[in-house]
Amino acid sequence: MSAYHVKTPLVRVENLVKEFPISRGVLFRKNIGSVQAVNGVSFEMQDGETLGLVGESGCGKSTTGRLVLRLLEPTSGRVFFENRDLATLQPEVLRKARLDFRMVFQDPYSSLNPRMSVEDIIAEPMQIAGIRTLERRARARDLLEIVGLRDYHATRYPHEFSGGQRQRIGIARALTMNPKLLVCDEPVSALDVSVQAQIINLLKDLQKKLSLTYLFVSHDLSVVRHISDRIAVMYLGKIVEIASKKDLFNKRLHPYTQALLSAVPIPVPGAKSTRIILSGDIPSAINPPSGCRFHTRCPEVMKKCFNEDPVLMDIGNEHKVACHLITH
Ligand code: SF4
């Protein structure tokens, strides 16, 4: 391979924007504004890596995951999957391309049809793809084994399983058509801590065995730390810092990242971290603050932060930060 060969990323997201209109009135709906859920998000994902997407609830991380899968149409911006702009694909081509990227949901119970047996739930995407019954059954049972369930579970219904087992079924269903990318949206946050570790370890094993790429969306930095290769921190619709896991934990530069990470327990006996408590709540995405969106809560705020929006700057080693302190 040439020294100048640049690997094509599996996913490239360019300047993604998503606004949800707000309307009022019963008979005559009138647009009175919009919620800026995602504002200018860009990142790349290489084949086989896990990118963690973290931030407080309402920061736009789950919306970003849905935009990547095109479960939502972006207001503007583009998503490339293996160098193909998904917005330009014909519906039939997009339907086939979609088999390569699937979602693992937060609440497996509400995402599994209670009236279908586990085998039928897992086999459903194969039925839509026109795969024969016997082949579907065999594949569904293989998948059950791959996610750590048993053959006899195939004929049971979702209510007969524990939360962890239901998440295993959700993962099996996501794997049905051999996807390349899984967007995992808070996949363990509804589970007990002991079960969380089992599901995270399962996802890590599956990634190795099946060469999967994960976009892992979570508010829980301890979980994200365990599974991610790189981490992107989001605040009010924007990425404020993105780096390798090691760089983010060792050289956290953005004041918001510093506050978030200060709440993560250090896995060393006797070690203490100084918790940074942010004042105030996350501002409304309907009317976000001018300049740096974090300025209403930032302990380092300075004059230019009120009206100049900092750019996400590469400070080396693919570590990017959006904060005026970097250039100050
Ligand atoms: Fe704080 Fe200003 Fe940096 Fe924003 S740009 S994080 S307000 S120092």
Side-chain angles (χ1 to χ4, degrees):
M1 193 191 295
S2 151
Y4 300 102
H5 177 85
V6 179
K7 209 176 158 201
T8 305
L10 182 72
V11 179
R12 193 167 87 245
V13 171
E14 281 183 7
N15 215 7
L16 216 48
V17 173
K18 181 65 186 174
E19 293 177 359
F20 294 102
I22 310 169
S23 45
R24 201 167 55 190
V26 182
L27 280 180
F28 302 103
R29 307 284 299 164
K30 194 177 155 201
N31 256 356
I32 54 163
S34 61
V35 177
Q36 296 179 7
V38 174
N39 192 298
V41 163
S42 302
F43 59 83
E44 290 183 352
M45 293 178 69
Q46 300 298 334
D47 218 355
E49 78 163 337
T50 299
L51 175 66
L53 205 51
V54 290
E56 288 162 290
S57 95
C59 72
K61 56 190 188 305
S62 291
T63 305
T64 302
R66 281 169 166 75
L67 290 168
V68 169
L69 294 183
R70 266 199 112 70
L71 295 176
L72 286 174
E73 280 292 311
T75 306
S76 63
R78 302 199 291 178
V79 177
F80 294 84
F81 190 84
E82 293 181 321
N83 243 355
R84 288 192 298 176
D85 183 348
L86 295 184
T88 62
L89 301 183
Q90 295 298 321
E92 184 54 22
V93 183
L94 179 61
R95 198 179 66 79
K96 283 204 181 116
R98 274 215 169 103
L99 300 176
D100 279 339
F101 38 91
R102 311 300 290 176
M103 185 131 188
V104 175
F105 294 93
Q106 172 180 5
D107 180 0
Y109 197 54
S110 60
S111 66
L112 304 176
N113 186 336
R115 287 185 212 90
M116 286 170 80
S117 70
V118 165
E119 183 179 88
D120 288 343
I121 288 171
I122 297 173
E124 195 181 24
M126 289 186 271
Q127 191 178 3
I128 295 165
I131 295 170
R132 287 179 304 127
T133 311
L134 281 179
E135 214 177 307
R136 290 202 306 263
R137 285 211 178 125
R139 171 87 177 132
R141 282 162 197 262
D142 280 352
L143 282 165
L144 279 178
E145 197 184 316
I146 286 173
V147 298
L149 293 171
R150 300 288 177 81
D151 198 62
Y152 59 79
H153 287 130
T155 53
R156 295 190 180 169
Y157 289 80
H159 72 271
E160 297 177 71
F161 294 89
S162 66
Q165 286 175 320
R166 285 200 286 262
Q167 193 52 289
R168 287 174 192 268
I169 297 166
I171 293 168
R173 186 184 54 182
L175 294 176
T176 305
M177 301 304 289
N178 296 316
K180 294 176 181 167
L181 169 75
L182 288 188
V183 173
C184 305
D185 186 9
E186 302 271 9
V188 296
S189 58
L191 305 174
D192 292 342
V193 174
S194 58
V195 183
Q196 285 186 358
Q198 291 170 16
I199 297 296
I200 294 293
N201 289 338
L202 171 68
L203 285 168
K204 286 177 94 168
D205 285 351
L206 291 172
Q207 184 170 41
K208 263 193 227 144
K209 272 189 207 148
L210 307 173
S211 308
L212 293 163
T213 304
Y214 294 147
L215 179 61
F216 195 94
V217 177
S218 177
H219 70 283
D220 187 337
L221 259 160
S222 306
V223 170
V224 167
R225 178 188 214 168
H226 197 64
I227 194 164
S228 304
D229 301 304
R230 288 188 304 133
I231 299 175
V233 179
M234 281 189 78
Y235 185 79
L236 215 54
K238 286 178 175 280
I239 290 181
V240 296
E241 186 159 9
I242 181 167
S244 67
K245 172 170 64 178
K246 191 169 158 227
D247 278 354
L248 197 88
F249 275 85
N250 294 341
K251 293 188 227 157
R252 57 196 89 168
L253 291 169
H254 195 283
Y256 179 62
T257 313
Q258 289 167 356
L260 267 192
L261 266 56
S262 74
V264 180
I266 302 171
V268 175
K272 278 189 186 163
S273 68
T274 313
R275 179 99 189 252
I276 302 168
I277 309 282
L278 292 174
S279 60
D281 292 324
I282 189 165
S284 163
I286 298 173
N287 188 17
S290 60
C292 172
R293 291 181 167 207
F294 187 55
H295 84 246
T296 54
R297 301 169 80 195
C298 180
E300 311 276 353
V301 63
M302 50 190 153
K303 206 172 164 194
K304 75 196 276 197
C305 307
F306 290 87
N307 41 37
E308 280 181 42
D309 192 6
V311 180
L312 193 65
M313 269 181 44
D314 195 335
I315 57 160
N317 204 22
E318 307 219 357
H319 185 163
K320 297 179 184 175
V321 189
C323 175
H324 294 312
L325 288 171
I326 302 306
T327 49
H328 196 57

